[in-house]
């Protein structure tokens, strides 16, 4: 109980320290914020840096809108996929992907491969 009380105090301080960050509703929940504190041994400064880097990454890669991205018809035909399941926040957590990249390499369109690889890699990290 003493541990929980200390953690609540640290969480309250952490909330004050990160008040300048723009967090969505799920990122404001106690369980989400406590993860960052625990990952950095309850060091407020280090936890804020880690959380800030996470938020910056999500913004830089436009992660919140990744499911709105539409693959070109070429990509859809060469690497069809199907989302098989979602997690508790309705983000994809299982996908079946069939890759047929050899024809792009032979046709000289490897740039499609890079875009497709990035998209599918990002799906796994959502």
């Amino acid at each position: 109980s003493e541990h929980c009380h200390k953690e609540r105090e640290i969480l309250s301080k952490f909330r004050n320290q990160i008040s300048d960050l723009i967090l969505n509703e799920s990122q404001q929940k106690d369980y989400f914020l406590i993860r960052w504190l625990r990952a950095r041994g309850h060091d407020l400064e280090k936890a804020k840096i880690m959380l800030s880097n996470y938020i910056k990454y999500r913004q830089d890669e436009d992660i919140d809108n990744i499911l709105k991205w539409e693959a070109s018809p070429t990509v859809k035909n060469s690497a069809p996929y199907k989302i098989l399941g979602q997690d508790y926040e309705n983000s994809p957590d299982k996908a079946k992907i069939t890759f047929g990249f050899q024809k792009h390499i032979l046709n000289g369109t490897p740039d499609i491969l890079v875009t497709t690889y990035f998209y599918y890699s990002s799906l796994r990290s959502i």
Side-chain angles (χ1 to χ4, degrees):
S1 179
E2 178 66 28
H3 179 71
C4 291
H5 180 69
K6 278 185 171 183
E7 198 164 59
R8 276 189 292 241
E9 286 178 14
I10 292 170
L11 179 60
S12 179
K13 290 177 185 176
F14 188 53
R15 284 185 183 283
N16 289 333
Q17 191 173 14
I18 63 168
S19 62
D20 58 323
L21 299 178
I22 299 170
L23 304 174
N24 67 32
E25 187 177 332
S26 68
Q27 294 168 340
Q28 294 175 27
K29 295 185 185 280
D30 288 352
Y31 74 87
F32 180 83
L33 296 174
I34 286 172
R35 289 180 12 201
W36 303 100
L37 289 166
R38 289 177 180 169
R40 291 296 174 240
H42 296 96
D43 183 310
L44 297 173
E45 185 78 23
K46 289 180 181 178
K48 181 178 181 179
I49 291 169
M50 188 179 185
L51 177 58
S52 297
N53 290 340
Y54 164 80
I55 291 169
K56 183 179 181 331
Y57 168 78
R58 289 187 66 88
Q59 289 171 343
D60 290 349
E61 301 301 330
D62 199 24
I63 298 298
D64 294 331
N65 295 311
I66 198 156
L67 293 179
K68 296 175 186 170
W69 178 80
E70 281 293 319
S72 71
T74 305
V75 170
K76 285 181 181 179
N77 291 333
S78 64
Y81 70 93
K82 179 178 181 180
I83 303 299
L84 301 175
Q86 288 86 23
D87 66 11
Y88 67 94
E89 290 183 332
N90 211 27
S91 298
D93 67 351
K94 296 177 191 159
K96 178 180 179 182
I97 304 167
T98 307
F99 293 100
F101 291 139
Q102 185 175 9
K103 65 182 168 185
H104 291 296
I105 294 170
L106 296 174
N107 291 338
T109 55
D111 55 319
I112 292 173
L113 300 177
V114 173
T115 302
T116 305
Y117 176 77
F118 172 75
Y119 174 68
Y120 289 126
S121 296
S122 297
L123 269 179
R124 288 194 309 266
S125 67
I126 294 177

